[in-house]
Amino acid sequence: MLWERDEVLGTAAAAGEAARAGNGRWMRVTGAVPGMGRTALLDEVVRRQTADGMRVEHARGAPEEAAFPYGLVRRLFTEDIGGVPFATPTGHGEQWLYHRLVTRLARLATERPVLLAVDDLHHADEPSRHWIGYLARRIAELPVLLVTTTCAGYTDLPVFPADTGTSAELRPLSAPAVVRIARAAGLSAQETTTCVEAGAGNPALVRALVADLRDGPFPRSSLAPVRSRYRETINGWIRGLPDPRSRHACLALAVAAEGGTAPGLTDRVTGLCPTRPAPGPPSMGRRLGALLRHPLAREAVLAAAEPEELAALHTRVAQVLAEEGAPATAVAARLLYVDRPGEAWMVRSLEEAADEALRAGRPAESAGYLRHALRGPLAPDRRAGLAMRLGALELPGNVTAGIRWLHTGLELHTDLRERASAASALSAGLVAGRDPDAALRILRQVGRAADDELVHVLQALGALVSSHEAEAWRDAVSALRALAPVAPPTVEPLVCGLITEYEAGAGLCSAAEAVARVERRLGAPVDQRLRTAWLGSAATLLQWADRLEEARALAARCLPSSPVPPDLTDMGLQCLLSVRAEAALWAGEFGRVIDENVAWVELSAGQGVRLPHLAAMVALARSEIGARAEAWEAVAVAGPSGADTSWEWNELGYARARLHEADGDWRSALEGYLACGAGQSARDFVSPIATPWRSGAALALVRLGRREEARELAEEELRHARSWGTGRTIGRALRVHAAALGGRLALESLTEAAELLGSAPAPVELVETLVDLGRARLDAGNGRKGRDTLREAHAVALRLAAQKSGARRLLDLTEEALRRGGARKTNDGQALTAAERRVADLAAAGHTNARISSSLCLTRRTVEMHLTNAYRKLRIARRTQLVAVLAREAGPVSE
């Protein structure tokens, strides 16, 4: 069935009627590109004119016979007309031959009107084309209809007289017509869309697509064994082009159309061709422009090319894009088709593209550009630098590949300082790959040839690496203490920071002393190679000292902004990642912990890095939002620690124990806490500033009925907590101490704990402590005060729950406590008290809690309590909502 060809068929019918009446006519049917249905339409004209009584002489031009003079004429006449030469006659001989052929045709037409149907006239031999033109100029008085088909763009076709015929161009099928064809074949809506877009209204392509889509969905690779009629059709067109320039132009247009290139590039197809043959018929490349916008069409065209052709075309396109200032990634995407980027501009473009992709948060793409750049001819130092960059990019997703490239970079570097930097990066990669021993060997090896200053730098970095191995850490601290008095000023801050970390964990210094040491050195100049390591150490100490905002500020100063990933070949950045995650967890920002770190956990499931501390943070955050199954998945992905004695595995072991506790499996929780304690003790880490395992073990012992053992652990924990001196550690230890004491003795500890935690950035511990305090007050017979305390706990939990991902565990804890205590969860509908209104008004005016506290002579905890109550009563979640809500709530104030 011919779709949307009625007008052309009507023109042919009128011409046939005129010819049968003795008024000869010609008709030329053209198509912009192959596949428009010229042959099918000519066959239909032949069928209809035969039915109307015309004699048909039918022939088709063939490019293989274009060099045979009068080859088409011989095929056109089925009867032997004799005397047609096999060489082109000259002078009067040619005119005599033309006249004799027309006379012969006239005699045939007197017997019966004749239809001469010539398909693909553009492929016919030149003498035959000239005779067809001769005939058209003499056809008016003959009962002959001449119908020819041609492909547009050929300039050496015969000229026909306008008064005896007409030309008709076959237009692409309309979208509604293609839709009807596809639906008639039973294709889905998505498949129908593919037919409309990839077919571009070309009947041959539409038919091929319909047939292909019946066999299965697109896309299919050109290497796929399944037959693709669509691809075969386009390949046939490309192979059938007689002129190399046309073929090259089609390939160039397909290449230029890939990747959304710069406007105007496709207008210079000829300039993109690798060869410039002698002028011939214009290429059909420009006429394929609309079609080649679809990837299926481009893939089909490019499948007809040789690899060398594609490489040459992509190189030329890359040059044009580079000259026009296109994005580096657009240039480099073309260079990936070149086997070896052999010119300097190519390597430079690939490097720039790697930077551009990394800034956009696409490290895998960035690594691909660097990998390709390394295939080119490079000087050793340049190759070393690229290898180090590639290793840093490969490391997160494939530890083995990343470390291999980092090794390559180290081996290629000849400059001692460059080798030191490379050794630092490789050692950080080895730590991320859970091999700190190898990292230390690398640093020692490079340090043997270093000068004194470089030795001190490498020694400090070695100590940081040693923190991931228990026995080496002790030795490293001893060496740092010997180094401290003689360390260069630019190295001393990190030396002091690492010593302070050890002493803080060993219970040898207080939070105040640790902070004082940090603050004295934060403004000091630090060797650039140690900067992030020093800031990572400083941020760790500030976090332990409950200076969360300052710790997070240091992390934000060094860690790249999203979507750029941090460089794990920097030990300091690894540390700052951990600080950022744990500080957010302590602040109750569980959704943020998950969002910022879940990608690292997922990498552990494959060949990527294993960062147990971040897995622990994600697991605990998931547990807090009520996703316990996903929490267990996070710790499982990190895998077992094996012989690794890094502090990170102790963190993960602590997280496992916490999850057992959340599941109510107190025996497993106790085992996990005690195992964590053994790991920390092996590092001389006795303080509860991190992994407070004694608190967890004591609570488990209480639940298991072993209160005396619990009391011993709780008292030891409290002693270490008071030595450190922060509200979080002391308040947490007091809560556990109260649980171990039980009864009325617990009230005093819980009351002190609530006061301390209320002024500390410890909302999770505050909720847990307030719940215990509320229950203790209820048990002591103070029902009103106990229920008020439980409501306060619920209000804090609600504030945390208002953040992304919520705080399901704490909400469930407080709601269950309220239910058992006989109290309502909220005071919805109550007006603000006078005190609450005063605090809320000042907060709405932009005052900080500290300023409100000073203005109203209230403690900061009281200010926070009034604000929490106001948020609950006004049903809002954040400070920025106060202005609008207070304007509406200018109603009664209760006294």
Side-chain angles (χ1 to χ4, degrees):
M1 179 179 179
L2 295 178
W3 291 81
E4 299 184 333
R5 299 295 184 249
D6 291 345
E7 183 179 352
V8 179
L9 288 171
T11 301
E17 185 178 349
R20 288 192 297 274
N23 300 313
R25 305 288 293 176
W26 61 263
M27 182 176 180
R28 175 181 288 163
V29 178
T30 62
V33 292
M36 293 303 294
R38 301 188 313 269
T39 299
L41 185 130
L42 184 61
D43 289 344
E44 180 63 16
V45 170
V46 168
R47 187 187 69 77
R48 294 187 181 190
Q49 295 303 324
T50 300
D52 288 340
M54 296 191 79
R55 172 181 180 143
V56 176
E57 302 293 346
H58 196 173
R60 184 177 188 180
E64 297 82 2
E65 298 186 14
F68 301 162
Y70 299 106
L72 182 132
V73 169
R74 290 191 190 86
R75 292 195 304 276
L76 190 59
F77 291 100
T78 56
E79 295 184 3
D80 182 13
I81 57 176
V84 178
F86 286 90
T88 304
T90 59
H92 297 298
E94 183 179 47
Q95 184 179 1
W96 178 84
L97 174 62
Y98 284 8
H99 177 74
R100 192 167 67 82
L101 289 173
V102 171
T103 301
R104 175 59 178 156
L105 178 60
R107 283 200 296 268
L108 287 174
T110 57
E111 300 170 6
R112 184 179 173 191
V114 175
L115 166 61
L116 291 183
V118 180
D119 199 8
D120 289 348
L121 179 61
H122 53 283
H123 286 322
D125 59 279
E126 185 177 1
S128 293
R129 293 201 306 271
H130 288 176
W131 180 79
I132 292 292
Y134 182 89
L135 170 64
R137 291 188 291 274
R138 290 159 177 77
I139 202 170
E141 298 178 357
L142 300 175
V144 173
L145 172 60
L146 171 63
V147 181
T148 67
T149 71
T150 60
C151 189
Y154 285 82
T155 59
D156 52 354
L157 294 173
V159 178
F160 294 172
D163 58 344
T164 55
T166 185
S167 295
E169 182 177 355
L170 297 180
R171 303 291 182 185
L173 299 179
S174 66
V178 177
V179 168
R180 290 196 297 273
I181 294 170
R183 287 179 177 171
L187 300 185
S188 68
Q190 183 177 357
E191 291 168 334
T192 298
T193 299
T194 299
C195 289
V196 172
E197 294 177 351
N202 186 291
L205 294 182
V206 171
R207 286 196 302 271
L209 283 165
V210 168
D212 284 342
L213 289 167
R214 282 173 174 166
D215 294 342
F218 278 106
R220 288 196 293 266
S221 165
S222 59
L223 301 178
V226 181
R227 178 188 179 192
S228 171
R229 300 164 186 83
Y230 180 83
R231 190 181 303 117
E232 290 172 1
T233 300
I234 293 180
N235 278 187
W237 295 352
I238 303 300
R239 287 193 299 269
L241 291 171
D243 174 52
R245 190 178 69 172
S246 295
R247 179 177 181 280
H248 287 316
C250 287
L251 297 178
L253 185 62
V255 168
E258 284 191 298
T261 55
L265 179 61
T266 54
D267 293 336
R268 284 169 285 148
V269 170
T270 304
L272 301 176
C273 295
T275 60
R276 294 284 191 92
S283 82
M284 71 172 182
R286 295 181 188 276
R287 301 192 298 277
L288 288 174
L291 175 63
L292 290 177
R293 283 196 290 267
H294 198 280
L296 286 177
R298 291 198 299 273
E299 190 269 347
V301 170
L302 296 177
E306 297 296 329
E308 297 79 11
E309 289 180 296
L310 289 181
L313 282 168
H314 279 291
T315 299
R316 179 62 185 133
V317 171
Q319 285 178 309
V320 171
L321 292 173
E323 291 165 2
E324 294 186 345
T329 49
V331 178
R334 306 313 184 121
L335 295 174
L336 293 178
Y337 291 90
V338 181
D339 185 51
R340 282 173 58 83
E343 299 181 42
W345 72 269
M346 295 181 176
V347 176
R348 185 173 60 255
S349 294
L350 288 164
E351 282 191 83
E352 291 172 357
D355 291 337
E356 192 174 295
L358 188 61
R359 286 194 297 271
R362 304 192 301 271
E365 180 184 332
S366 179
Y369 294 136
L370 290 178
R371 202 177 296 115
H372 199 60
L374 282 161
R375 301 185 67 174
L378 298 166
D381 284 347
R382 182 90 177 276
R383 184 175 297 277
L386 291 181
M388 297 301 299
R389 289 177 61 187
L390 178 56
L393 290 173
E394 293 271 33
L395 188 67
N398 189 325
V399 172
T400 303
I403 290 175
R404 187 179 296 125
W405 280 112
L406 293 171
H407 264 297
T408 298
L410 175 60
E411 291 166 359
L412 287 171
H413 272 304
T414 55
D415 179 79
L416 183 57
R417 294 188 176 276
E418 292 294 342
R419 282 181 58 77
S421 296
S424 172
L426 175 56
S427 64
L430 288 165
V431 168
R434 319 318 311 167
D435 194 355
D437 289 340
L440 288 171
R441 286 196 299 274
I442 292 292
L443 290 173
R444 291 185 189 118
Q445 176 185 344
V446 173
R448 292 191 190 105
D451 56 30
D452 289 345
E453 179 192 358
L454 201 52
V455 165
H456 292 147
V457 169
L458 293 173
Q459 187 177 349
L461 289 172
L464 184 57
V465 171
S466 298
S467 68
H468 290 268
E469 207 281 318
E471 187 174 347
W473 175 230
R474 285 197 183 106
D475 295 338
V477 172
S478 297
L480 287 174
R481 284 177 169 151
L483 173 62
V486 297
T490 56
V491 177
E492 193 274 341
L494 177 58
V495 173
C496 177
L498 293 174
I499 292 173
T500 305
E501 283 188 56
Y502 173 83
E503 292 180 349
L508 302 177
C509 78
S510 66
E513 173 60 23
V515 169
R517 294 180 190 178
V518 168
E519 290 180 336
R520 283 198 298 269
R521 292 166 175 81
L522 273 179
V526 178
D527 189 295
Q528 191 62 27
R529 292 163 292 192
L530 303 179
R531 176 177 174 271
T532 57
W534 153 238
L535 292 178
S537 179
T540 299
L541 292 167
L542 290 171
Q543 177 202 325
W544 288 348
D546 281 355
R547 307 277 283 268
L548 298 190
E549 291 307 314
E550 295 166 73
R552 294 167 81 168
L554 290 181
R557 187 198 301 182
C558 299
L559 291 172
S561 301
S562 180
V564 180
D567 181 1
L568 293 187
T569 63
D570 186 323
M571 283 283 293
L573 293 187
Q574 290 185 30
C575 180
L576 289 165
L577 272 176
S578 293
V579 169
R580 183 179 70 178
E582 193 156 22
L585 184 75
W586 287 9
E589 298 174 13
F590 310 124
R592 181 173 180 175
V593 175
I594 296 168
D595 290 346
E596 290 180 340
N597 300 286
V598 70
W600 299 110
V601 177
E602 292 169 351
L603 286 171
S604 302
Q607 298 176 293
V609 292
R610 296 167 71 194
L611 301 175
H613 181 254
L614 296 185
M617 297 301 100
V618 169
L620 292 175
R622 284 175 169 173
S623 179
E624 292 290 350
I625 67 173
R628 288 219 294 271
E630 292 84 352
W632 277 112
E633 287 176 10
V635 296
V637 162
S641 63
D644 196 328
T645 59
S646 169
W647 59 270
E648 292 191 76
W649 292 106
N650 293 331
E651 294 274 2
L652 190 67
Y654 177 77
R656 284 197 183 97
R658 288 276 301 273
L659 295 184
H660 283 305
E661 179 182 322
D663 289 342
D665 184 354
W666 292 101
R667 290 191 183 280
S668 296
L670 177 61
E671 292 175 5
Y673 287 129
L674 293 177
C676 173
Q680 292 291 64
S681 297
R683 303 168 49 79
D684 297 338
F685 202 107
V686 299
S687 175
I689 52 180
T691 61
W693 62 272
R694 292 185 197 82
S695 292
L699 287 176
L701 287 168
V702 169
R703 289 302 186 103
L704 293 171
R706 297 158 61 179
R707 193 175 291 275
E708 189 59 37
E709 297 172 71
R711 188 179 297 115
E712 290 179 10
L713 283 177
E715 288 174 353
E716 184 179 0
E717 185 89 324
L718 183 57
R719 185 172 66 254
H720 286 300
R722 290 194 187 281
S723 174
W724 180 244
T726 60
R728 179 192 304 275
T729 52
I730 299 173
R732 183 172 53 207
L734 283 168
R735 174 185 173 241
V736 174
H737 186 252
L741 291 175
R744 290 182 177 272
L745 295 175
L747 267 174
E748 184 178 342
S749 291
L750 287 171
T751 301
E752 183 185 357
E755 287 290 336
L756 289 168
L757 291 169
S759 59
V764 177
E765 291 86 349
L766 177 61
V767 171
E768 293 171 332
T769 300
L770 288 173
V771 168
D772 288 356
L773 178 58
R775 287 170 173 167
R777 284 171 172 167
L778 288 172
D779 292 343
N782 194 341
R784 180 177 178 181
K785 201 168 185 179
R787 284 187 287 273
D788 285 345
T789 304
L790 292 178
R791 290 192 188 98
E792 184 181 350
H794 187 249
V796 178
L798 281 174
R799 191 173 64 202
L800 292 178
Q803 302 178 61
K804 183 179 179 181
S805 300
R808 187 71 263 164
R809 182 185 74 86
L810 295 175
L811 274 181
D812 289 346
L813 176 68
T814 55
E815 288 174 1
E816 173 65 13
L818 286 168
R819 186 183 65 79
R820 288 181 177 274
R824 295 194 304 270
K825 288 189 288 186
T826 63
N827 288 331
D828 291 345
Q830 282 189 354
L832 301 184
T833 65
E836 290 165 353
R837 184 59 187 244
R838 283 194 294 270
V839 170
D841 284 339
L842 290 173
H847 293 263
T848 64
N849 286 5
R851 187 172 175 184
I852 296 171
S853 172
S854 175
S855 299
L856 300 180
C857 299
L858 300 172
T859 66
R860 286 189 64 174
R861 181 165 178 265
T862 301
V863 171
E864 289 170 358
M865 181 185 69
H866 286 327
L867 279 176
T868 297
N869 290 338
Y871 290 167
R872 184 186 72 243
K873 292 178 179 180
L874 298 173
R875 301 181 184 179
I876 61 175
R878 56 187 63 86
R879 203 181 195 97
T880 53
Q881 297 172 291
L882 276 172
V883 175
V885 173
L886 288 176
R888 295 197 308 266
E889 297 284 332
V893 175
S894 61
E895 298 295 337

